[in-house]
Amino acid sequence: LLYQAVGKRILEYCNERNLTPNKLCTLSGVIQSTLNSIFSGRSKNPKLLTIKFLCDGLNISLQEFFSSPLFDNLEDE
């Protein structure tokens, strides 16, 4: 599912960069409860703008973010 892939991808980048989710919130301006909702699956449809802010905090492009096998072959939701 897309929302699960988004959460996993964010965690991949956090782990690669030794960033805590809290630190990513600080860098991106996304509030902790929003990020927690993405990670827990409560947010079934994270906004593209939210993902863009997280990408800005990670200093990557949306294209880099979505360039992952996690997003290949997603079923229609």
Side-chain angles (χ1 to χ4, degrees):
L1 298 170
L2 178 62
Y3 67 90
Q4 291 171 327
V6 168
K8 286 179 185 176
R9 188 67 167 147
I10 294 166
L11 283 175
E12 281 180 358
Y13 274 106
C14 285
N15 290 335
E16 283 176 14
R17 295 157 190 238
N18 293 317
L19 282 177
T20 64
N22 190 20
K23 181 65 174 174
L24 178 56
C25 287
T26 302
L27 293 171
S28 66
V30 173
I31 59 174
Q32 186 77 45
S33 62
T34 298
L35 195 55
N36 289 344
S37 291
I38 292 171
F39 288 149
S40 71
R42 284 191 316 270
S43 177
K44 303 284 189 218
N45 189 16
K47 292 182 180 173
L48 188 59
L49 187 58
T50 300
I51 297 169
K52 171 72 169 105
F53 287 146
L54 291 166
C55 288
D56 290 347
L58 291 164
N59 202 28
I60 60 170
S61 68
L62 282 169
Q63 182 178 1
E64 287 174 90
F65 182 82
F66 286 109
S67 178
S68 165
L70 285 171
F71 300 105
D72 295 344
N73 305 317
L74 285 175
E75 298 295 321
D76 289 341
E77 296 180 25

